[in-house]
Amino acid sequence: MPPILVSACLLGQPVRYDGRAGEGSELLLRWQQRGWLQPLCPEMAGGLPVPRPAAEIHGPGGGAAVLRGQIRLRVQQGPDPTEAFIAGAQAALALAQRHGCRYAVLTERSPSCGSTHICDGSFSRRLIEGEGLTTALLRQHGIEVFSQHQLDELAQHLPAH
C-alpha cells in the first residue's frame, strides 16, 4: 500500500494558520496506525510560521492560475505569501513522489489544500468552487486528491480498510 499524503492538521497537528488543528476522523487515525499516511502541512513546508495571517487566492482560476503566475494570494495585512505557498505545493509534490503516493487527503477550503471549494478572496468566508495550489499541482502530476469529507470515496480505492 503506497502512503497517502495527508494534511498534517487532519492528524491533530496544530499547524493551521490560526494555530489550531483541523478536524480529523477515526478512519484517518486507523490508516495512520497502519502506516498508510504521510503527513505534511504545505504552508509550513513553504516556510510560513504558525500562527500566520489568513491568506486567500485573489482572482479567478484558483490554485492552477497561481501556479501559472496569473494571480496571487492575498493577506489582509502583511507580505505577499504567494511564493511560500508555491514552495509548499512543490514540497508536497516532492514528498508524494518520493514516497509513491497515488492519493492525498487535504483540508477543504484552504488556499493550499482545498479540493472542491476555496474562499473567494474577499475575506468574508464566502466559498466558491475551486482548488488550492497544492491540490492543483498534485492533480497536474496524476495524484488523486480528496477532502476530509470524501474519505469513504477514497476508501473504495484502498485495500480492506
Side-chain angles (χ1 to χ4, degrees):
M1 174 70 202
I4 300 165
L5 184 70
V6 65
S7 294
C9 64
L10 296 177
L11 298 176
Q13 295 182 27
V15 295
R16 286 173 30 114
Y17 76 96
D18 58 7
R20 296 188 336 225
E23 52 182 88
S25 76
E26 287 183 32
L27 191 53
L28 279 179
L29 292 176
R30 196 170 339 139
W31 292 348
Q32 183 179 32
Q33 290 170 347
R34 291 183 182 175
W36 291 3
L37 303 182
Q38 187 63 52
L40 177 81
C41 172
E43 294 170 22
M44 287 192 66
L48 294 172
V50 174
R52 58 189 166 270
E56 294 187 5
I57 295 172
H58 186 67
V66 176
L67 293 169
R68 288 190 302 270
Q70 296 171 322
I71 59 174
R72 302 199 56 88
L73 282 96
R74 276 191 3 193
V75 293
Q76 288 182 307
Q77 288 187 335
D80 179 340
T82 303
E83 297 309 317
F85 274 77
I86 292 170
Q90 292 168 339
L93 175 63
L95 182 68
Q97 289 177 328
R98 187 168 52 251
H99 290 280
C101 298
R102 295 185 317 208
Y103 306 108
V105 176
L106 302 179
T107 306
E108 194 63 273
R109 301 189 324 230
S110 159
S112 290
C113 299
S115 59
T116 62
H117 291 89
I118 56 175
C119 292
D120 71 353
S122 68
F123 295 95
S124 64
R125 297 185 184 238
R126 193 169 76 84
L127 297 178
I128 57 172
E129 288 186 17
E131 62 187 10
L133 278 78
T134 300
T135 295
L137 188 61
L138 293 175
R139 286 178 172 160
Q140 288 170 9
H141 288 84
I143 298 170
E144 289 187 63
V145 180
F146 298 83
S147 79
Q148 72 269 36
H149 308 297
Q150 297 172 310
L151 295 178
D152 289 338
E153 185 180 334
L154 171 57
Q156 294 174 17
H157 298 274
L158 306 177
H161 51 279

